[in-house]
Amino acid sequence: MEFLVFYRINNYYVYLRDISDPDTFLSISSSDYSMYHEDYFAKYKDLCTYQGKEFHLDFDIPEIDLREEYLVARSTSTNSDYITLIPLSELRTSVFGPKKPDIIALATSRARIIVLAFKMAQRQKLLQNLFSTKTDVRQSVQAFADYCFFQKFALWIYNPSSKHFCCLCSSHVMPREYVSQDADTSLYDFLLSANTHDFRTPNKAEINCEYAEGMNTLNRIKLCFGGDDEVGILDFLSCHLKFLLRERTLKMIKHHIESKYVESQQKSLLALHKIEEAFSGYRLGHLRSFARVLTSRICDQLSFQACSIFEYDGKNNTLNLLGVTDTEKMGKSKKKVTYDLNKPTFTGAVFKSGSGYACSYDIENDPQNSHTYDETTEGEGKTWIAMTLRSENAKWGILRVKNKHNPEDNLSLINFTPSDFFILRSVCIHLSNVFSLERGHKDNRTRMGDLEKKRSEVKHNFEELKTFYNVFLHEIRTPISTFSTSPLRITRLLQAPIVTDQIKRDIELKVNDIKIMGARLAFIANTYYFNELVKSRRPERLSVLQDIIFPVLHITREYVKKQHDVDIRVGASSLERVTVTGDKMLLNIVFNTLISNAGKYAIGSQKPIAIYGEYDPSSRYFLICVDNFGLPIYPNEKDLVFDSGYRGKAVLDQKIGGTGIGLYLAREIMHKQNGDLILSSLQDPVTFKIKVPMKWRT
Amino acid sequence: MKRILLVEDDKYLSDDLHFFITEAGHSCEVYHSADQFMTNIDKLGEFDKIILDIMMMKGKLIRKLDADQETGEFLYKELRKRFPEIPVIVLSAKDYANMIVDFSDESNVYTLRKPVNEDVLRELMKLIIK
């Protein structure tokens, strides 16, 4: 028996083929069904008849016989609403065939089976699509669109950060997958309205941007995702006029898609968690390497094609690239990249602005399109977010991302989502804290460096003080002892009942000893602080004998004779009438050093210390020579004797006390006097020559 | 009256110390070098006390000294080999903690620090009398 079944979906009837197997229905796409508005069947009451030719069908149903008359059998229940068209020819039975009511019952019963099979197939398809483990939001919306026989759909998510509606998913390719300024007016209107559902014909703007082209009905559902600003709009479009979603179906779709979206956002939180994990690996002082790791992690978790971090250089007013990951490189750029904040750039504008971030869905056509640096992306850079890294009182830099690719195919671009902004904001807060810590660390390092420098200075000063103390202790013990014992001795002598001539001579000798020791102490002090003296002293014309030699011998000769049992002989003929240029006190110090050394090291020598002079071959210098016939200097020590702290082997073997800085200081003094101190003979005698300029040259 | 031996190469200091020791009624002989000490070492038992400087030249009679050993430390050890009981007053500018011989552990040894000021001199005279 041939009959036709029309099953009601929303306010349309869909023609069902005579199939009782749900699995067969599963394989039929919703676009393959013929749909008829309810108004078409409204005029036909139950069990009325009409001619096949009266059908005004959108397209041919081969089963319809236009010559035939059909009986309309309506079956209406809560869950099913369908019409069975029974050919009257089936009802004109013979006397011996089934009766008309039986035929009607059979047909409607058969129709019911077909409807049930169809519904089962539809539900099975829906459930399979909704609850498969890999079903995402898009697939859920697609499943509902198929179930409800919509041809097109789009899910818009309102991004409160960028104030745009971003298309999360759609059945068709959206231009750049964001809403143009004209078309999104209806979305904003619906967002701001109190309605939760809208049903209308698509407007001109929607049709013009090809979104609703060919569609005659727009069903719009408002979605809430929990937070105050978290809203979305779900559009279902149908090519049929007034194709309206039922209230019950609408509620089911709304609840499911809201849950699915929230569930998908959980994955975003996982991405945030993974990115935040990178911060646990951060170590102070390793900002650059951390920035590289972080950009790589951000790209990986949020499916960006590029991410870069710029650090602000306050001194030069620039933003300098710290780390970058893009389709070509991970973490590191071979070239140095700098944004000059004095020049107008997109990134610079974001840094300087008070808003803290900027987003562009169309970099190519945006004004101010000057990117000093473009990360490498698949194709042209299309979308872009830049966020300022800032703390309460400071701006540290910029984090920038480009092109979010579809993680499913890694090829197509999709829009930034609100969760992208949320995650990036969170990352920027953490990163700003890192910069702040780095600044503190740098300041601490500087302070530590200063402290270390101070510590070194203090240590150096302490060492100097120790050296000074050691040197002085060694050199001044005799003078200090004399300053104590000699006055006491004088006092005791004066306490004698009769102060004899001998006692007077003794007192004179002691007074002389004190004088000598005082002069020696002055020499020692001046030697050690010659650096300060040099600054204040000025060269003058000096007589070698009168100004340099005799003042020293006046004190030192007696000392050397008493202490070391060696005399000093002066070759006056080679020294008289010779004038040189230099500072008297400093030259006295140098000469005194040589004489004191000569006396100290003249052990076992029977010959006196000899002092004489000679002219330097250039005639620009005069050489005051000191010969000593005591301990030798070994050949390998020739250059070492002038090193600070060095003591010759012969001297050390004899355990003669000293600090080894006398010759070092003496030479330093001579160098500052534009002269020199030379060792010209190593034994028998050991000869030192003081080279003094005849004339002063600046 | 004590017989004192003063071993001190600083002639200015030894001159003054000799004055104070003799002025106090003691006899005082002065050796200015290690060579003098070593030459007369077997006769050192004649003295009641020896005042010994630590840092002085090695001279010719002492063959070799360790790098850290001062001449006076060597002389002390040589003295003790022969005369373990004779009191010694050690006089030195060097820190005793840096010496090889731990004088604080030795018996019949007293230590004084240079430079010799009034207090050190007073202490020295007390030790001579003691």
Side-chain angles (χ1 to χ4, degrees):
Chain A
M1 176 175 39
E2 298 285 334
F3 58 88
L4 305 164
V5 180
F6 293 86
Y7 172 66
R8 189 188 175 108
I9 292 177
N10 299 332
N11 52 337
Y12 272 69
Y13 283 93
V14 60
Y15 169 66
L16 300 180
R17 289 190 168 75
D18 187 356
I19 302 165
S20 58
D21 179 15
D23 288 338
T24 310
F25 271 122
L26 275 174
S27 60
I28 302 173
S29 160
S30 59
S31 59
D32 292 332
Y33 288 97
S34 308
M35 307 279 289
Y36 303 94
H37 194 268
E38 61 185 355
D39 288 345
Y40 186 77
F41 291 101
K43 59 187 177 184
Y44 301 109
K45 299 215 184 319
D46 192 20
L47 296 180
C48 68
T49 60
Y50 55 91
Q51 296 292 327
K53 65 184 176 195
E54 292 175 28
F55 283 108
H56 298 288
L57 300 173
D58 291 336
F59 49 86
D60 288 333
I61 297 176
E63 293 83 353
I64 294 267
D65 184 352
L66 297 177
R67 298 164 299 174
E68 184 62 88
E69 270 190 289
Y70 291 88
L71 181 73
V72 178
R74 287 182 176 272
S75 304
T76 310
S77 66
T78 315
N79 295 325
S80 297
D81 188 347
Y82 60 95
I83 292 171
T84 312
L85 294 183
I86 307 166
L88 284 182
S89 57
E90 294 285 335
L91 293 174
R92 292 185 193 106
T93 57
S94 65
V95 173
F96 301 104
K99 296 203 172 24
K100 183 177 168 183
D102 293 335
I103 296 171
I104 294 171
L106 191 64
T108 53
S109 201
R110 175 84 189 131
R112 187 158 185 272
I113 292 169
I114 294 168
V115 166
L116 279 174
F118 170 76
K119 281 171 66 175
M120 273 176 64
Q122 288 294 93
R123 286 222 174 101
Q124 191 177 334
K125 206 189 282 184
L126 179 66
L127 288 170
Q128 265 176 357
N129 289 336
L130 288 182
F131 296 108
S132 160
T133 51
K134 291 186 183 171
T135 303
D136 58 15
V137 175
R138 187 195 188 284
Q139 285 161 334
S140 297
V141 175
Q142 174 82 68
F144 278 116
D146 286 345
Y147 181 74
C148 300
F149 283 82
F150 286 105
Q151 283 71 51
K152 287 187 180 180
F153 65 85
L155 174 58
W156 305 95
I157 305 296
Y158 179 64
N159 192 334
S161 301
S162 64
K163 307 276 190 289
H164 279 96
F165 277 95
C166 303
C167 183
L168 184 69
C169 59
S170 71
S171 56
H172 46 281
V173 175
M174 298 291 288
R176 294 285 179 87
E177 295 202 307
Y178 75 104
V179 184
S180 69
Q181 201 57 39
D182 297 327
D184 72 354
T185 305
S186 66
L187 287 169
Y188 279 111
D189 289 344
F190 182 61
L191 179 71
L192 296 170
S193 75
N195 300 331
T196 58
H197 175 228
D198 190 19
F199 153 70
R200 58 175 172 79
T201 310
N203 62 38
K204 201 173 175 185
E206 285 156 354
I207 295 169
N208 281 347
C209 75
E210 298 175 7
Y211 165 52
E213 195 181 12
M215 300 293 109
N216 291 305
T217 309
L218 169 66
N219 275 264
R220 184 159 273 182
I221 308 168
K222 193 180 283 184
L223 305 172
C224 294
F225 303 122
D228 288 335
D229 290 339
E230 295 264 37
V231 290
I233 293 175
L234 180 57
D235 284 349
F236 287 113
L237 296 113
S238 171
C239 58
H240 304 291
L241 283 167
K242 298 180 187 175
F243 192 75
L244 180 65
L245 262 176
R246 278 187 177 176
E247 184 70 25
R248 196 174 63 189
T249 312
L250 187 151
K251 279 183 182 170
M252 179 177 67
I253 294 171
K254 180 177 156 65
H255 290 149
H256 190 91
I257 300 300
E258 282 171 350
S259 303
K260 201 70 189 176
Y261 180 78
V262 170
E263 183 191 303
S264 73
Q265 293 309 99
Q266 297 297 322
K267 289 180 189 166
S268 299
L269 288 178
L270 271 176
L272 174 60
H273 180 66
K274 286 272 184 206
I275 294 170
E276 284 177 345
E277 269 179 3
F279 284 88
S280 63
Y282 160 67
R283 288 180 300 140
L284 264 179
H286 293 82
L287 183 60
R288 193 169 289 273
S289 57
F290 173 69
R292 290 169 191 166
V293 166
L294 189 62
T295 54
S296 173
R297 191 68 69 94
I298 289 171
C299 282
D300 184 46
Q301 291 298 322
L302 299 180
S303 303
F304 294 133
Q305 287 188 353
C307 175
S308 51
I309 296 174
F310 290 82
E311 185 181 17
Y312 176 57
D313 176 357
K315 195 174 158 195
N316 298 309
N317 201 28
T318 56
L319 288 169
N320 304 321
L321 183 65
L322 206 57
V324 60
T325 294
D326 58 26
T327 52
E328 216 176 52
K329 48 198 170 292
M330 194 180 299
K332 203 171 162 177
S333 168
K334 279 189 186 153
K335 50 179 182 171
K336 269 188 173 179
V337 179
T338 298
Y339 275 92
D340 183 352
L341 289 172
N342 298 318
K343 295 183 183 162
T345 59
F346 227 167
T347 300
V350 176
F351 184 79
K352 287 185 263 188
S353 78
S355 65
Y357 76 93
C359 162
S360 174
Y361 290 99
D362 190 356
I363 297 175
E364 286 176 1
N365 292 317
D366 276 334
Q368 274 189 296
N369 188 21
S370 56
H371 289 272
T372 303
Y373 175 66
D374 271 325
E375 299 90 340
T376 310
T377 52
E378 290 287 341
E380 294 294 320
K382 293 193 191 312
T383 54
W384 175 94
I385 303 173
M387 284 194 179
T388 314
L389 306 169
R390 61 160 100 200
S391 305
E392 202 176 291
N393 297 321
K395 283 186 186 178
W396 305 110
I398 288 275
L399 177 126
R400 203 168 77 175
V401 296
K402 233 179 217 183
N403 288 6
K404 187 177 175 74
H405 64 75
N406 191 337
E408 288 173 20
D409 59 20
N410 277 343
L411 285 173
S412 55
L413 290 184
I414 59 177
N415 268 321
F416 300 124
T417 64
S419 61
D420 288 334
F421 282 80
F422 166 72
I423 291 170
L424 287 175
R425 272 219 190 86
S426 179
V427 169
C428 284
I429 289 170
H430 290 319
L431 194 52
S432 300
N433 288 338
V434 163
F435 272 97
S436 182
L437 282 171
E438 278 291 323
R439 170 62 62 83
H441 175 66
K442 215 189 257 181
D443 289 346
N444 278 345
R445 259 207 334 237
T446 309
R447 260 185 252 123
M448 285 292 292
D450 290 342
L451 278 173
E452 190 54 41
K453 211 171 147 189
K454 267 210 173 73
R455 196 184 78 87
S456 293
E457 270 175 27
V458 167
K459 192 178 171 190
H460 175 73
N461 290 342
F462 180 72
E463 290 298 328
E464 256 197 2
L465 204 61
K466 245 173 68 172
T467 307
F468 175 84
Y469 179 74
N470 287 338
V471 167
F472 262 52
L473 193 65
H474 175 79
E475 299 291 336
I476 68 172
R477 57 189 177 161
T478 302
I480 294 298
S481 294
T482 306
F483 289 151
S484 294
T485 56
S486 292
L488 270 175
R489 186 168 170 180
I490 292 169
T491 307
R492 292 281 174 82
L493 287 169
L494 285 171
Q495 283 168 352
I498 299 170
V499 177
T500 60
D501 288 342
Q502 181 57 45
I503 287 173
K504 283 181 192 170
R505 273 194 293 277
D506 282 348
I507 290 172
E508 273 174 22
L509 281 170
K510 282 294 114 188
V511 167
N512 198 45
D513 283 350
I514 293 170
K515 216 169 76 173
I516 288 171
M517 290 306 160
R520 281 193 60 75
L521 204 54
F523 269 127
I524 293 164
N526 287 338
T527 305
Y528 203 79
Y529 285 109
F530 82 91
N531 270 323
E532 296 303 314
L533 284 174
V534 160
K535 289 177 198 170
S536 58
R537 306 296 297 181
R538 289 290 173 264
E540 52 187 333
R541 295 291 297 169
L542 299 170
S543 158
V544 169
L545 265 181
Q546 304 299 329
D547 295 319
I548 298 172
I549 293 177
F550 284 156
V552 172
L553 287 187
H554 180 67
I555 298 163
T556 312
R557 185 181 215 154
E558 201 173 313
Y559 174 83
V560 164
K561 201 165 179 185
K562 181 169 180 176
Q563 194 74 303
H564 302 301
D565 205 18
V566 66
D567 201 1
I568 299 173
R569 210 155 284 169
V570 179
S573 58
S574 62
L575 294 164
E576 60 193 359
R577 284 192 287 277
V578 177
T579 55
V580 293
T581 307
D583 178 76
K584 183 174 180 308
M585 184 191 283
L586 293 173
L587 288 169
N588 284 165
I589 290 171
V590 172
F591 186 61
N592 178 66
T593 302
L594 292 184
I595 296 296
S596 295
N597 279 358
K600 201 158 67 169
Y601 302 136
I603 57 160
S605 164
Q606 301 304 314
K607 294 183 185 173
I609 296 166
I611 300 166
Y612 56 95
E614 61 193 35
Y615 285 92
D616 173 77
S618 68
S619 300
R620 295 208 329 249
Y621 297 92
F622 187 76
L623 304 166
I624 303 170
C625 308
V626 178
D627 283 352
N628 141 41
F629 293 85
L631 293 174
I633 293 172
Y634 293 115
N636 62 323
E637 294 175 322
K638 189 174 180 213
D639 295 319
L640 297 173
V641 292
F642 293 108
D643 287 353
S644 175
Y646 184 81
R647 307 209 66 227
K649 188 177 179 307
V651 166
L652 288 172
D653 283 346
Q654 275 299 324
K655 297 286 180 182
I656 298 175
T659 56
I661 67 168
L663 286 176
Y664 162 73
L665 290 176
R667 189 150 89 156
E668 288 290 304
I669 291 171
M670 285 319 299
H671 285 170
K672 286 194 174 6
Q673 293 281 295
N674 291 342
D676 203 356
L677 182 60
I678 302 161
L679 172 63
S680 65
S681 172
L682 301 182
Q683 66 174 22
D684 286 332
V686 171
T687 304
F688 282 93
K689 295 184 181 180
I690 305 171
K691 188 173 169 184
V692 192
M694 304 289 293
K695 289 179 184 171
W696 186 262
R697 290 173 206 279
T698 54
Chain B
M1 180 183 106
K2 301 269 196 265
R3 282 201 67 190
I4 306 297
L5 171 63
L6 172 60
V7 186
E8 173 61 66
D9 61 347
D10 183 341
K11 288 175 183 150
Y12 283 85
L13 180 62
S14 63
D15 189 34
D16 283 343
L17 289 180
H18 180 270
F19 169 81
F20 288 112
I21 293 169
T22 51
E23 198 228 16
H26 310 288
S27 72
C28 181
E29 195 164 335
V30 182
Y31 292 165
H32 288 296
S33 68
D35 285 349
Q36 261 183 297
F37 185 98
M38 291 307 294
T39 302
N40 297 292
I41 194 164
D42 292 326
K43 290 190 266 180
L44 297 186
E46 296 167 6
F47 295 98
D48 297 312
K49 277 188 181 129
I50 297 176
I51 302 169
L52 178 62
D53 180 27
I54 292 295
M55 291 173 73
M56 65 175 82
M57 277 200 293
K58 181 173 75 73
K60 292 172 186 164
L61 296 181
I62 299 174
R63 279 219 145 145
K64 197 175 159 56
L65 287 174
D66 293 337
D68 295 334
Q69 190 181 29
E70 299 294 345
T71 304
E73 291 178 279
F74 177 86
L75 296 179
Y76 174 80
K77 280 184 179 171
E78 292 301 307
L79 175 71
R80 277 292 179 252
K81 280 178 193 171
R82 294 161 180 80
F83 306 105
E85 299 298 327
I86 195 167
V88 177
I89 302 168
V90 179
L91 195 58
S92 180
K94 187 174 175 179
D95 192 348
Y96 287 101
N98 293 335
M99 294 190 192
I100 289 176
V101 177
D102 185 358
F103 287 108
S104 63
D105 218 23
E106 297 286 314
S107 54
N108 288 333
V109 172
Y110 310 93
T111 56
L112 291 172
R113 288 294 298 266
K114 282 184 182 177
V116 176
N117 57 20
E118 211 173 316
D119 291 333
V120 173
L121 189 59
R122 198 178 298 122
E123 192 62 32
L124 177 66
M125 297 313 296
K126 274 188 197 167
L127 288 170
I128 287 170
I129 299 166
K130 191 174 173 180

